[in-house]
Structure formats: C-alpha cells, structure tokens
C-alpha cells in the first residue's frame, strides 16, 4: 500500500508543470510523509455544479495547475462533443494565489483543443465574466475564483453559453471527460494563440449597470464601501461615478486586492469581525449605509445605522436586503417573475403575490435561480442578488450595490431609511425573521452523521412548535429536483438542513413568521421571533447531535 501511494505521488510529480507544487510534493515523498500523501492522493477533487473548489497544494485532492489543466481539457472535450469545438471560451479570474496561472492554463488548453480563447484583461469581478459570455457570444466561460473562501483556497467555476452556471447533467458529463484525461502529456498547451482582451467587455458591462436604475432617480445616498481585499473596488467606484452617486468612502485597509486577506479571519462579510473596519470607518464618516462586496464581488452586504446595537451599525441579513430590493422593484412597477432558493425567506413570495407578480422557488444556487423563465429578480439569503438577469444571469454584487444605493436615496428624500421600509413590510406581511445554525467541520463525517441522525429520528417539535410536515429532499418534490437536504414545516416556522456545496459546513436555515398588528407591536414581535429562533436553534442542534 505504501509503495503504491509513493508510486502514484511520483507519477503525479513527473507531470506537474508547476515548480512550486513540484517542490512541495517532492519534500513529502522524500520525507515519506505518508499520512499527508494519503490525504492528497485519497481521491480527486470532485467536479460538480459549483465546478471545483479546494485548498491550494500538490496532488489530486488539492487545487493546482495539474488539476486545472485536466478540468480545462475535460471542458474542451465536452464542448467538442456538443458540436461547439470551434466556439469561443471566455476566461476570467480574481486576485487569489495562482488565479492568473490557472486562467492562463485554461486559455492554453482551449487553444490547444482548437477552440478560441479570450482572457479578461486583469482580475475582475465574477459578474463581469458572466456578462462577457453572452456579450461576446461565447459557448462557455470559466471564472477562476474561490469567492469568499479562506485565503488558502481557490476554485474553478464553469458557465455555458447561456451565461448561467452549469447544472446537471452537464456537470457529470464534464466530470466524465475530466476523468478520461489519462496524462497531462496528452493535453496540448501552446504558449500563445489566445487573446487577452482590452477594456471593451468591461466598458460594455459598466454601460449596462446604468440600466438597473430608474432614469432621473435620486442619487444622494452616502456610502462607506469595502472590497474585502478583493477585486470589487475599481468596478464599483466606476459604476457609482457613472450613475452620479457621491464617491463611496473606501475602507482603505481592505480596498486593494490582497490574496492573504490580512485583516479578516474569513473574507466573507457574513463572518464575525469581517465588517469591523467598515463599521469603524462608518463611525468616522457617518454615511447613510455601508456596502461590502465579497472578494470576487458577486455578493453584496449592507449595513444600516442602529443605535440599539454596540458600535451603532447593524448588518442586514441577506433576506432583509432581498426583500428590500424586491419591494423597491415592485414600487418601480416591474413585471416578470421573482425567484429565490428554498433556503431564503418566504417573504419574497408574499411581496410577489401582493404585487400580482409570478414567484418561484428553486434549489440552492444561482445556477437554478438564473434559469427561471421570465425572471425579473432573484436572490439568495447568502448575500446574492440578480437584479439585471438580461445582463448577468448570476448574482452580481456591483449592480445590487447600485440598486441598494438608489433605494436608500429614494427613502432619504422621503426622510426615511431602509429600516423604516423593513418595518413597513413586517406590518404588511408579518415579521419574517431568519437565522442560521452553521457548523464548520474538519471531519466531514460529522455532517453525514448529523444528516443520518435527523433522517432516522426526525424532530416532532422545535422550540415548542409542532412539526406539521417533514420532507427529505433527496427524493425531490413536484417542483424541485433531488438534493441532499431536509425541510421541516412548523406552526409559524420553517427549517431547512443541508450540507454546504462549497465549504465543509452543515447549514441549517431557520425562519419564523410572527403576525404584527401595528407598528407599535413590532418590538414585541421581534422579541418573540428572537426567542423562537433561539429555541429552534437549540433543539435542532440537539436533534442533529452538533
């Protein structure tokens, strides 16, 4: 067994085109670090509907140039099998470690396979790549990014020519082509032949961002902005300038790309502490709102002044921003369908129904939301908003930020705030309060054990609320294809439990709905919602053994 492991590691080493990972792997082999080699060679990173994502390093269970070259070769073979072997593939990348290398390797593989390849001019937001696919008439697009994962990670996200991320069966078909790549020596990788784009695609994207705003609308909101060490700053500030908003005050320590993400434990606005510097800047500048992008700028976080919390600023939940943008679009008189994933707040359905608009629920991820027919607006609780589906069929943290700033400006002219509109929605539709129980694990068996425990002994009540219906989503429903998840309906509440598709996390999404008789009753309703959510969290954790 030991000799087989060493032999496989040496075979990988012989093909590895990257001096850095070659040196890393050679040391592991020379020192006979068998436990670490067993982890690196215990399988291969699985290509799924999120593409690839994992820790950087040598070996098939890590993100590296060898894995990326194989993935690109598999995608090229898939496109050729679909009769698109002479098509165009657009490649974008963020500012993480190795992103530019992975983008260059992808372009080389596509060129070697006979496809045309173009690469975006520099690290840019993911939505620029998603836009460029349709703008340039490409058959596919690749974005090298790990979004808001830790600094040691990178990833590989694949889109097809409709501008949406891949869904089954394309993921399995591409994975099969990747598995069929016997040796990297079989993959032609010319030194040239692809094109590095100029500014045209970015300029076209920026011109399109204006379309999300109402002509002549107020543009007065003052914003503190953080790019979270990612690639959002230049594009967002350009979009704000074009739209005529005041220049955002930047969180200087986080404004420029830095793959080490030195000021945050996790470069995700949802993580504790990630927004501390932005709130510090806000206390100095006193803006109307704080806006943050994640590192690849496809997500948008919003914070509002709140004297009742320590520090004076409160992060809005993704569900709150999702509802605010929905109501803003309704007030502008839009038509079409509103859509969200099953883990997001049911308030969107209430807003759509009251406005006479269509409404759909999908599985988690914008790969599903973006495919909803006649989509006008889609969102997901994890800070993702699709506000211009004709332009970008994915979440877009730049255009979402513009729309939030427009809404804040409209309300400001009325002497009102985002919180005032949230209060209005609660009185009109009931207080929809959401929370999440999220457990990050080192050992993935903790997640599978929790799911097994819940399936074998499903809870009959949580926080004193009876479970009225339980669904195992692995079997699918009339509206949804199968997925690994559990959904519980309670009297006035809903719970969904699922393993994360992109991180080693078990995620539980909680929602309670508390009727609100009047604005004066809001405080009491919030207190009741907080108590119920806390009780559901406690009882669910016990039931899952986490």
């Amino acid at each position: 067994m030991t000799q087989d492991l060493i032999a496989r590691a040496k075979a990988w080493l012989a093909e590895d085109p990257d001096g850095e990972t070659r040196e890393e792997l050679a040391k592991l082999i020379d020192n006979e670090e068998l436990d670490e080699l067993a982890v690196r060679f215990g399988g291969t990173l699985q290509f799924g509907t999120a593409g690839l994502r994992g820790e950087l390093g040598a070996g098939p269970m890590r993100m590296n140039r060898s894995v990326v070259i194989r993935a690109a070769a598999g995608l090229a073979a898939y496109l050729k099998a679909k009769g698109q072997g002479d098509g165009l593939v657009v490649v974008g990348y963020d500012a993480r470690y190795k992103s530019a290398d992975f983008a260059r390797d992808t372009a080389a593989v596509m060129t070697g396979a006979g496809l045309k390849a173009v690469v975006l001019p520099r690290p840019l937001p993911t939505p620029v790549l998603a836009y460029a696919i349709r703008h340039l008439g490409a058959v596919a697009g690749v974005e090298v990014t790990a979004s808001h994962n830790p600094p040691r990670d990178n990833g590989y996200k694949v889109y097809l020519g409709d501008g949406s991320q891949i869904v089954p069966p394309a993921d399995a078909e591409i994975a099969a082509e990747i598995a069929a790549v016997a040796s990297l020596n079989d993959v032609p990788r010319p030194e040239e032949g692809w094109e590095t784009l100029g500014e045209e695609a970015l300029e076209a994207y920026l011109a399109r961002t204006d379309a999300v705003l109402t002509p002549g609308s107020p543009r007065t909101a003052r914003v503190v902005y953080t790019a979270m060490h990612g690639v959002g700053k230049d594009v967002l500030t350009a979009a704000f300038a074009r739209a005529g908003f005041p220049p955002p005050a930047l969180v200087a320590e986080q404004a420029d790309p830095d793959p080490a993400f030195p000021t945050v434990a996790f470069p995700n606005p949802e993580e504790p502490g990630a927004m501390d510097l932005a709130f510090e800047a806000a206390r100095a500048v006193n803006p109307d709102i704080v806006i943050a992008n994640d590192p690849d700028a496809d997500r948008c976080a919003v914070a509002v002044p709140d004297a009742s919390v320590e520090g004076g600023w409160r992060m809005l939940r993704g569900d709150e921003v999702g509802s605010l943008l929905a109501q803003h679009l309704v007030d502008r008189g839009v038509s079409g369908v509103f859509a969200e994933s099953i883990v997001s707040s049911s308030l969107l359905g209430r807003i759509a129904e009251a406005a006479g608009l269509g409404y759909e629920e999908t599985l988690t991820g914008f790969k599903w939301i973006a495919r909803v027919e006649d989509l006008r607006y889609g969102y997901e609780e994890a800070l993702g908003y699709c506000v211009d589906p004709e332009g970008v069929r994915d979440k877009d943290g730049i255009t979402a930020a513009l729309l939030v700033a427009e809404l804040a400006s409209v309300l400001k002219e009325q002497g009102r705030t985002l919180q005032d509109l949230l209060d209005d929605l609660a009185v009109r539709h009931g207080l929809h309060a959401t929370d999440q129980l999220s457990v990050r694990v080192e050992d993935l068996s903790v997640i599978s054990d929790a799911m097994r425990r819940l399936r074998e002994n499903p809870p009959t009540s949580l926080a004193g609320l009876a479970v009225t219906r339980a669904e195992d989503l692995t079997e699918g429903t009339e509206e949804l294809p199968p997925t690994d998840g559990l959904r519980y309906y309670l009297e006035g509440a809903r719970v969904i439990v699922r393993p994360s598709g992109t991180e080693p996390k078990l995620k539980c999404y909680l929602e309670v709905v508390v009727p609100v008789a009047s604005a004066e009753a809001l405080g009491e309703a919030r207190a009741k919602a907080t108590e119920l959510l806390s009780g559901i969290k406690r009882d669910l954790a016990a039931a899952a053994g986490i």
Side-chain angles (χ1 to χ4, degrees):
M1 187 66 183
T2 298
Q3 290 308 112
D4 176 57
L5 181 60
I6 296 289
R8 280 188 288 134
K10 285 182 174 177
W12 185 275
L13 179 65
E15 289 188 352
D16 191 339
D18 188 323
E20 201 174 311
T21 45
R22 270 205 314 275
E23 183 180 346
E24 177 189 326
L25 184 53
K27 280 182 183 172
L28 293 175
I29 294 170
D30 291 345
N31 297 334
E32 294 194 356
E33 294 190 35
L34 300 179
D35 287 348
E36 182 62 21
L37 286 170
V39 170
R40 304 286 187 100
F41 288 84
T44 58
L45 275 187
Q46 289 305 297
F47 186 92
T49 48
L52 294 167
R53 201 176 288 186
E55 188 176 341
L56 290 163
M61 286 296 288
R62 295 286 185 266
M63 282 296 296
N64 51 64
R65 289 184 61 200
S66 297
V67 164
V68 164
I69 289 165
R70 288 172 183 275
L75 174 59
Y78 168 85
L79 293 170
K80 290 168 89 166
K82 296 294 182 186
Q84 298 176 318
D86 59 350
L88 176 72
V89 178
V90 194
V91 185
Y93 59 104
D94 67 10
R96 284 178 177 266
Y97 295 119
K98 298 287 185 183
S99 285
D101 295 339
F102 295 168
R104 193 180 313 111
D105 282 331
T106 300
V109 170
M110 295 300 159
T111 303
L115 289 117
K116 303 182 196 72
V118 296
V119 183
L120 294 182
R122 61 181 176 281
L124 287 168
T126 294
V128 177
L129 180 276
Y131 169 81
I133 293 165
R134 296 176 70 215
H135 176 67
L136 297 172
V139 296
V142 170
E143 177 71 14
V144 180
T145 180
S147 190
H148 56 279
N149 276 39
R152 65 179 184 272
D153 288 2
N154 213 329
Y156 198 81
K157 189 183 286 190
V158 175
Y159 298 74
L160 294 181
D162 63 355
S164 302
Q165 296 176 53
I166 54 170
V167 293
D171 57 341
E173 292 171 9
I174 296 170
E177 295 287 4
I178 294 170
V181 178
S183 165
L184 290 196
N185 299 326
D186 300 336
V187 181
R189 300 197 308 280
E191 294 291 318
E192 56 187 14
W194 60 91
E195 179 188 354
T196 300
L197 295 173
E199 299 299 302
E200 313 82 25
L202 175 59
E203 282 301 318
Y205 168 82
L206 282 169
R208 177 87 201 181
T209 59
D210 298 351
V212 306
L213 303 173
T214 302
S217 63
R219 312 279 166 94
T220 56
R222 293 177 306 110
V223 173
V224 160
Y225 170 71
T226 175
M228 205 68 69
H229 298 296
V231 298
K233 179 195 73 177
D234 290 347
V235 179
L236 182 131
T237 53
F240 268 58
R242 290 178 67 101
F245 287 102
L250 303 178
V251 179
E253 303 94 325
Q254 299 175 334
D256 295 318
D258 187 336
F261 303 105
T263 69
V264 292
F266 291 96
N268 178 353
E270 292 179 294
E271 293 283 351
M275 295 291 287
D276 286 357
L277 286 171
F279 293 161
E280 191 178 305
R283 286 190 287 274
V285 174
N286 196 28
D288 298 302
I289 52 174
V290 172
I291 288 177
N293 286 138
D294 67 338
D296 70 324
D298 63 351
R299 287 174 167 82
C300 175
V302 181
V304 296
D306 187 338
S308 71
V309 299
E310 187 180 345
W313 283 85
R314 179 175 81 86
M315 271 279 286
L316 295 182
R317 293 193 167 276
D319 285 317
E320 292 178 302
V321 178
S323 301
L324 287 168
L325 291 179
Q327 189 60 49
H328 181 44
L329 291 169
V330 165
D331 291 340
R332 282 175 32 177
V334 302
S335 59
V337 175
F338 284 5
E340 64 181 340
S341 61
I342 56 172
V343 298
S344 305
S345 171
S346 60
L347 178 54
L348 184 69
R350 303 272 182 97
I351 292 170
E353 183 182 15
L357 297 175
Y359 167 74
E360 274 198 43
E361 271 191 325
T362 73
L363 291 185
T364 311
F366 274 81
K367 56 184 176 278
W368 299 108
I369 294 170
R371 285 181 159 75
V372 168
E373 196 173 336
D374 198 25
L375 178 68
R376 178 56 187 86
Y377 167 66
Y379 96 90
E380 189 156 72
E381 55 72 44
L383 310 182
Y385 314 94
C386 175
V387 301
D388 177 25
E390 285 306 304
V392 176
R393 292 189 178 175
D394 199 1
K395 54 188 177 292
D396 182 347
I398 305 295
T399 50
L402 284 173
L403 204 58
V404 168
E406 180 184 60
L407 173 57
S409 301
V410 168
L411 292 167
K412 185 178 180 180
E413 302 262 310
Q414 300 168 358
R416 285 159 48 80
T417 65
L418 296 180
Q419 184 59 58
D420 291 331
L421 181 52
L422 284 171
D423 291 349
D424 290 350
L425 290 171
V427 173
R428 196 177 310 159
H429 302 293
L431 177 66
H432 289 62
T434 58
D435 202 354
Q436 196 178 121
L437 171 62
S438 182
V439 183
R440 185 182 290 272
V441 302
E442 292 291 328
D443 180 1
L444 289 176
S445 69
V446 172
I447 294 175
S448 53
D449 286 350
M451 296 297 287
R452 178 183 48 76
R453 189 187 295 239
L454 288 170
R455 285 189 168 106
E456 290 175 357
N457 296 293
T460 56
S461 71
L462 297 167
L465 302 176
V467 176
T468 57
R469 181 158 55 111
E471 290 179 333
D472 188 339
L473 298 174
T474 50
E475 298 161 14
T477 71
E478 281 186 25
E479 300 83 23
L480 301 170
T483 188
D484 186 9
L486 299 164
R487 179 161 58 179
Y488 304 111
Y489 292 98
L490 298 90
E491 294 170 352
R494 184 210 65 197
V495 173
I496 292 170
V497 184
R498 60 179 282 273
S500 169
T502 55
E503 297 176 271
K505 279 183 174 182
L506 180 68
K507 291 187 167 184
C508 310
Y509 304 86
L510 325 175
E511 179 178 45
V512 299
V513 182
V514 180
V516 182
S518 65
E520 291 71 35
L522 269 168
E524 186 183 336
R526 288 202 174 94
K528 182 178 180 183
T530 300
E531 182 185 348
L532 283 171
L533 287 169
S534 176
I536 291 171
K537 250 188 195 181
R538 179 194 64 236
D539 293 354
L540 186 62
I546 52 177

